[in-house]
Amino acid sequence: MRRYGKHTDEDDIRSRPNRKGNRPRTNIRPKHEDAAEGMVLTVDRGRLTCLVDDRTIMAMKARELGRKAAVVGDRVALVGDLSGMKDTLARIVRIEERSSLLRRTADDDDPYERVVVANADQLAIVTALADPEPRPRLIDRCLVAAYDGGLEPLLVMTKSDLAPPDKLLELYGDLDIPYVVTSREELESGGAADRVRAHLDGRVTAFVGHSGVGKTTLVNALVPEERRRTTGHVNAVTGRGRHTTTSALALPLGGGDGWVVDTPGVRSFGLAHIDPSRVIHAFPDLEPGTEGCPRACSHDEQDCALDAWVEEGHADPARLYSLRRLLATRERKEGD
Ligand SMILES: Nc1nc2c(ncn2[C@@H]2O[C@H](COP(=O)(O)OP(=O)(O)OP(=O)(O)O)[C@@H](O)[C@H]2O)c(=O)[nH]1
Ligand SMILES: [Mg+2]
Ligand SMILES: [Zn+2]
């Protein structure tokens, strides 16, 4: 996997301008060839906090980027004041190509697409076993968004001190998706962080889920306090005195070389941007069976070839059931 920010070899960045001697001579200088490489840690009203080498600097988007917006996890090229000193502002002149993109819409009719995070390789779908109640349809939607965006899913079930995980495990235990169950007690002993961390090392993991499921609690258990402090993130305090996350924030994992991205709680995970025909790509074990399907088969209709194919024993029937459930959830309007 690619290393970001802190893990980037500084010498590598500094020596880059010298390397142009190896390239054929040309009079056309690439724009901003002396720009520094950085990673977007958080975005707050047009101000982006970026990690450049070991410094946290504030930046804004340069006019030349037009309507293109940088999001958390983006690798960007920065010019201008890169000192990171108070009241300085660098300019982001380029957004590098993204390896993945987690997107959602507020609901399925919403044409406005929100990019949640760029360049994550894993999506931790966090669900509380109680308070708030688990919402399987929201989980299914997050799964579709993960597969569609090129992220591997991880299920995290929190608050097992309040309710047992049995029902959810019945639904998701056999889907070949890694999962972790955590409790208040294990949070305090450090056991929860250890078991989640085992899935995070060397990867960029975005934590998503309904508000109050325990995403920030978990992220805080995974990232040592001094690392959290450097980004100076401020969370809003709700009327009930609870802290709720208001913007996505990338943090370097403690005791490993991965990244975790905490995100604000969502009510729904709209999939308006996702073409249902792409959902099948999340099921490589079923995909060969679609060869016998009628043209433009939804894979959720009478003539779909998958039923016969699975009956012949080419794939686990539970997988077809799972595909159909995801396709059906895509059609529903409600997020829960
Ligand atoms: N009983 C119990 N409570 C937990 C557990 N994990 C988190 N909590 C509590 O759940 C509440 C919400 O936790 P947060 O971490 O703020 O939830 P969040 O998912 O970040 O919420 P948003 O930022 O609003 O999306 C807090 O009061 C936590 O102390 C758990 O395993 N068991
Ligand atoms: Mg939070
Ligand atoms: Zn089909």
Side-chain angles (χ1 to χ4, degrees):
M1 88 135 226
R2 276 152 88 188
R3 305 283 142 103
Y4 297 104
K6 188 178 178 308
H7 310 288
T8 308
D9 189 339
E10 285 182 36
D11 294 338
D12 193 43
I13 291 174
R14 300 234 167 91
S15 67
R16 186 160 301 158
N18 302 331
R19 274 200 232 132
K20 67 177 180 248
N22 303 333
R23 294 194 204 124
R25 277 181 173 278
T26 163
N27 288 329
I28 307 159
R29 281 163 53 91
K31 250 183 157 184
H32 304 302
E33 63 176 5
D34 55 346
E37 210 182 290
M39 175 185 167
V40 179
L41 301 182
T42 191
V43 183
D44 182 19
R45 282 159 293 177
R47 293 283 189 269
L48 298 97
T49 307
C50 301
L51 187 70
V52 178
D53 296 339
D54 267 339
R55 297 188 309 282
T56 306
I57 67 171
M58 296 299 285
M60 60 183 290
K61 165 176 121 162
R63 197 174 301 151
E64 62 203 81
L65 277 185
R67 298 181 61 182
K68 231 173 141 187
V71 300
V72 173
D74 260 325
R75 294 171 60 91
V76 294
L78 299 116
V79 299
D81 193 331
L82 301 174
S83 66
M85 306 270 279
K86 200 170 175 286
D87 297 329
T88 62
L89 206 52
R91 277 179 304 128
I92 294 174
V93 291
R94 197 168 58 240
I95 301 169
E96 307 297 352
E97 202 182 315
R98 293 159 173 165
S99 62
S100 76
L101 202 51
L102 178 67
R103 303 172 298 169
R104 73 176 188 97
T105 48
D107 57 57
D108 288 344
D109 300 326
D110 181 9
Y112 184 71
E113 188 180 299
R114 300 145 212 260
V115 172
V116 184
V117 48
N119 298 320
D121 22 55
Q122 185 165 245
L123 186 67
I125 302 163
V126 187
T127 312
L129 294 163
D131 186 30
E133 286 301 304
R135 299 196 309 167
R137 278 197 269 165
L138 182 60
I139 300 176
D140 289 343
R141 284 161 170 276
C142 291
L143 285 172
V144 174
Y147 292 131
D148 186 74
L151 292 83
E152 283 180 49
L154 167 70
L155 291 180
V156 181
M157 305 174 199
T158 61
K159 311 198 188 187
S160 66
D161 50 299
L162 302 181
D166 312 27
K167 263 202 221 145
L168 268 194
L169 286 179
E170 238 168 68
L171 283 173
Y172 296 98
D174 59 355
L175 287 194
D176 246 359
I177 301 166
Y179 66 85
V180 183
V181 181
T182 65
S183 67
R184 162 76 69 203
E185 195 181 33
E186 287 171 301
L187 274 171
E188 278 153 19
S189 72
D194 287 347
R195 275 187 303 118
V196 175
R197 192 182 286 113
H199 294 273
L200 309 182
D201 200 24
R203 318 177 80 174
V204 179
T205 304
F207 286 71
V208 298
H210 194 273
S211 185
V213 296
K215 298 179 293 296
T216 302
T217 306
L218 205 51
V219 163
N220 286 351
L222 290 160
V223 179
E225 204 191 335
E226 81 262 16
R227 293 204 190 197
R228 274 183 271 142
R229 221 181 301 128
T230 54
T231 54
H233 198 58
V234 181
N235 280 326
V237 178
T238 62
R240 288 151 62 207
R242 207 166 60 69
H243 288 262
T244 189
T245 308
T246 51
S247 51
L249 170 68
L251 291 158
L253 190 63
D257 68 349
W259 284 85
V260 288
V261 183
D262 191 10
T263 70
V266 292
R267 257 174 215 293
S268 63
F269 212 101
L271 301 173
H273 60 288
I274 292 179
D275 179 347
S277 69
R278 297 215 302 266
V279 175
I280 184 71
H281 302 316
F283 295 79
D285 49 341
L286 296 177
E287 216 170 355
T290 62
E291 263 170 40
C293 287
R295 273 191 60 178
C297 180
S298 66
H299 309 309
D300 198 10
E301 59 192 59
Q302 199 118 70
D303 295 338
C304 181
L306 283 172
D307 298 270
W309 198 73
V310 165
E311 242 163 69
E312 285 162 22
H314 296 291
D316 187 340
R319 294 285 289 167
L320 181 55
Y321 170 72
S322 164
L323 167 70
R324 295 261 160 87
R325 203 171 67 193
L326 291 179
L327 288 168
T329 199
R330 169 66 183 78
E331 298 305 316
R332 278 185 212 122
K333 297 291 176 224
E334 291 301 304
D336 55 351

